[in-house]
Amino acid sequence: MNIPQNRKKRGLGIGLLIAAIVGVLLLILNTYGFSRDLHTMLNEYNIQPEQVKVVADIDSRTQLVFYDNYATEGLSLAFAQQKRWSSELRLTGGSLYDDPSERVNTRISALKWSDTDYNTILYGKIHDPDITQLKVSYDTASASTPIEANIAPLANEDRLWYVILTEPLTEVKLNMVGLNEAGDTIYTYGDSEI
């Protein structure tokens, strides 16, 4: 069976049109969706590279960004999440009130991505250069075991500490123990709600 030349050309033209439409759709998704890198997403919120202090991976698709928030004059958080067909940046609002006279400052911030996907971040600054390790526990309905905080350097010998939790916390009583290089306890904080 021979297909008339007209039909072949028309079929080829429709095929090329469909391929062009698919190409444009992929380009749009690539530009506004999953391919946006962290710098591009932060730039959309006017967060410049010099404001970014620490970037930490929560999981393979979610990053935590600590940045200097010029509006609040404090350290704030943003969550960047890469999904299959999109990427998203969410600012948590608010920021760490930093009192340099305190040895360790603390803030809690949380973000609910969906009904089952949470990120709760306990974080702050360490101003005491002798504190090299920080263990954090929080009392909820069931007592928690101490978690070693991540510590990252900041300017002026200050350091950022943070703990990433993947569960919602409604009431938190924070307990912290700061250790020196030798492993001795040199700082304690506890039984206060934050």
Side-chain angles (χ1 to χ4, degrees), residues 130-135 177-187:
D130 293 329
I131 298 174
T132 59
Q133 186 179 16
L134 194 66
K135 295 193 179 209
V177 175
L179 308 171
N180 64 12
E181 192 76 31
D184 300 323
T185 298
I186 60 171
Y187 172 80

Side-chain angles (χ1 to χ4, degrees), residues 36 38 41-45 47 63 65 78-81 87-91 113:
R36 294 188 311 160
L38 182 61
M41 289 189 291
L42 290 169
N43 196 38
E44 290 172 5
Y45 285 90
I47 299 171
Q63 292 178 301
V65 181
F79 291 88
Q81 190 171 70
S87 56
E88 180 177 10
L89 183 79
R90 291 192 189 179
L91 307 180
W113 293 97

Side-chain angles (χ1 to χ4, degrees), residues 44-179:
E44 290 172 5
Y45 285 90
N46 202 26
I47 299 171
Q48 304 305 311
E50 62 272 9
Q51 290 174 261
V52 176
K53 300 305 174 195
V54 175
V55 176
D57 290 334
I58 294 176
D59 57 40
S60 63
R61 61 186 178 88
T62 310
Q63 292 178 301
L64 176 63
V65 181
F66 294 92
Y67 68 97
D68 277 335
N69 186 331
Y70 294 153
T72 63
E73 297 180 2
L75 194 65
S76 290
L77 289 177
F79 291 88
Q81 190 171 70
Q82 299 291 334
K83 298 177 183 176
R84 183 176 175 97
W85 298 108
S86 65
S87 56
E88 180 177 10
L89 183 79
R90 291 192 189 179
L91 307 180
T92 60
S95 60
L96 173 68
Y97 172 73
D98 184 27
D99 183 354
S101 67
E102 293 180 16
R103 295 169 73 188
V104 178
N105 289 315
T106 305
R107 178 157 176 83
I108 186 170
S109 195
L111 183 64
K112 180 179 178 182
W113 293 97
S114 68
D115 288 340
T116 58
D117 193 6
Y118 291 87
N119 291 120
T120 303
I121 310 300
L122 306 171
Y123 74 101
K125 284 187 181 179
I126 300 172
H127 294 290
D128 184 339
D130 293 329
I131 298 174
T132 59
Q133 186 179 16
L134 194 66
K135 295 193 179 209
V136 179
S137 63
Y138 51 94
D139 293 327
T140 57
S142 61
S144 67
T145 58
I147 301 168
E148 187 169 341
N150 297 293
I151 297 178
L154 295 171
N156 302 327
E157 295 186 6
D158 290 340
R159 283 153 299 134
L160 169 73
W161 72 267
Y162 62 96
V163 172
I164 301 169
L165 305 173
T166 55
E167 59 190 58
L169 299 177
T170 54
E171 183 179 327
V172 178
K173 289 195 175 189
L174 189 65
N175 297 296
M176 293 189 291
V177 175
L179 308 171

